[in-house]
Amino acid sequence: MQSLTILGATGSIGGSTLEVIRRHPERFRVYAVTAFQRWQALLPICLEFKPDYAVVGTEEDATQLRLKLKEQHCLTQVLSGPDSLVAVASAAEVDIVMAAIVGAAGLPPTLAAARAGKRILLANKEALVMAGPLFMTAVREGKACLLPIDSEHNAIFQCLPSEGATAANGVRRLLLTASGGPFRGWDTAALRTVTPEQACAHPNWVMGRKISVDSATLMNKGLEVIEAHWLFGMEPARIEVVVHPQSVIHSMVEYADGSVLAQLGQPDMRTPIANGLAWPQRIDSGVTSLDFTRLAALTFEPADQVTFPCLRLAYAALAAGGSAPAILNAANEVAVAAFLSGHSTFTGIAKTVAAVLNRLPTVALESVAHLLEIDRESRELATQLLS
């Protein structure tokens, strides 16, 4: 029996994780669940899974949740605040941490899990985008087991040799597939009038609003390029993005002999989650089998980095190194929030990110505190530019 902390239990990844756990009560127990503001959504989770702890953002919300749990005679203890997130991610009783908090807020508890030597199922790509060298150092020093949960990176993980992605192991390049999002084939003029509702209507995947917008701008794919660099130690020139609208092939690895290994499956996050939970074994995820006799044609096309410049900006930030990816991530989070609230256009997202990258210097990352200061400065500048 393995104990699990789910950071971001009320999001789409958290919900899918709970669905897989339901199928295997003999293998997994939930030690802690967290949510930032959605304490009401944590209530039924606590009543069903009876975790030791639930963590919410504020003490006010914690008081509300405690009252409701007491009425139902549930013994789950309710905590609040960032320090509590760190505590439940690094507790001695925890074997596995599902890192599914969206954005920079997920970095401190995920770092704590790495330092504590946990098996980390990484669905929060910002931990590597913002703090790649710091995070990988924490993984090595803490002897943590880092398993990617993003469908693309999990696909690459499954297609690589056990020794990893190096030229010495015959790996020529990593191919990240992208659906192209809801605006594939649109021109820049048409994109200027895009609404949040249109941007969040992903053609293949069910995701949260922020990541749905990132998918529509191709920033999500850019962040995945940065993440793949740190996860697999592969230089940027050997990480390519190819648009595959059907989202059946989740990513591929090409080898020196010309072989290409691809991981296929339904566009359902329960597959990579089950892979991470049970690795190196395989367990039932609840995902239906592919019926190859009914598949439509599988098509591919190059990613359009002119109409969707966020992907180009991400490659540039990775090439610059140091603080540039953290600046990119922070500016993007602010710009996406502004778009979703009606204070920016869709095309304004890339313009804001580019402006912040141009105005702030790229420096070496010295510590987590230094990183968080860079994150704060980047957000302030992005907010000023938007206003």
Side-chain angles (χ1 to χ4, degrees), residues 70 96 105 110 316 373-374:
K70 185 177 181 180
I96 303 171
T110 309
E373 178 61 21
I374 291 169

Side-chain angles (χ1 to χ4, degrees), residues 125 129 150-153 175-181 202 205 207 211 213-229 239-244 247 249-251 303 305 308 310-312 314-315 318 328 332:
K125 59 177 60 67
V129 171
D150 267 354
S151 61
E152 296 83 359
H153 301 92
L175 295 160
L176 291 168
T177 58
S179 70
H202 195 280
W205 296 90
M207 304 181 294
I211 192 172
V213 174
D214 283 348
S215 179
T217 64
L218 292 193
M219 177 61 87
N220 188 54
K221 207 53 52 179
L223 299 180
E224 287 176 3
V225 169
I226 299 172
E227 185 181 8
H229 165 71
I239 305 172
E240 298 182 24
V241 174
V242 59
V243 173
H244 168 52
S247 295
I249 295 176
H250 299 307
S251 276
Q305 297 189 39
F308 300 93
C310 283
L311 178 56
R312 184 178 72 248
Y315 269 109
L318 178 56
L328 172 99
N332 180 65

Side-chain angles (χ1 to χ4, degrees), residues 65-248:
L65 182 57
R66 286 190 197 105
L67 178 61
K68 295 297 183 181
L69 290 174
K70 185 177 181 180
E71 290 175 355
Q72 298 293 326
H73 307 289
C74 179
L75 300 179
T76 296
Q77 298 185 55
V78 183
L79 308 174
S80 65
D83 290 344
S84 297
L85 289 177
V86 168
V88 299
S90 57
E93 297 89 340
V94 174
D95 302 300
I96 303 171
V97 174
M98 169 55 78
I101 295 176
V102 175
L107 177 60
T110 309
L111 266 173
R115 291 171 178 145
K118 306 302 181 185
R119 172 181 289 201
I120 302 170
L121 309 187
L122 190 67
N124 171 302
K125 59 177 60 67
E126 289 82 5
L128 283 171
V129 171
M130 291 178 62
L134 299 175
F135 186 77
M136 294 309 294
T137 297
V139 168
R140 288 191 297 270
E141 293 179 350
K143 298 181 179 179
C145 175
L146 181 62
L147 299 176
I149 298 302
D150 267 354
S151 61
E152 296 83 359
H153 301 92
N154 184 262
I156 289 172
F157 174 74
Q158 294 189 52
C159 293
L160 284 173
S162 58
E163 299 84 7
T166 66
N169 293 329
V171 176
R172 178 179 290 164
R173 58 178 176 157
L174 308 180
L175 295 160
L176 291 168
T177 58
S179 70
F183 309 127
R184 181 175 63 90
W186 289 35
D187 60 25
T188 302
L191 291 175
R192 293 192 185 103
T193 60
V194 160
T195 67
E197 289 70 28
Q198 289 175 302
C200 291
H202 195 280
N204 298 332
W205 296 90
V206 177
M207 304 181 294
R209 286 170 67 79
K210 193 267 182 184
I211 192 172
S212 294
V213 174
D214 283 348
S215 179
T217 64
L218 292 193
M219 177 61 87
N220 188 54
K221 207 53 52 179
L223 299 180
E224 287 176 3
V225 169
I226 299 172
E227 185 181 8
H229 165 71
W230 291 110
L231 278 171
F232 307 117
M234 187 66 75
E235 55 266 34
R238 293 203 286 154
I239 305 172
E240 298 182 24
V241 174
V242 59
V243 173
H244 168 52
Q246 295 81 21
S247 295
V248 172

Side-chain angles (χ1 to χ4, degrees), residues 342-363:
H343 294 95
S344 172
T345 62
F346 182 80
T347 53
I349 295 173
K351 292 177 181 177
T352 299
V353 173
V356 175
L357 281 169
N358 287 333
R359 293 197 186 194
L360 292 180
T362 297
V363 297

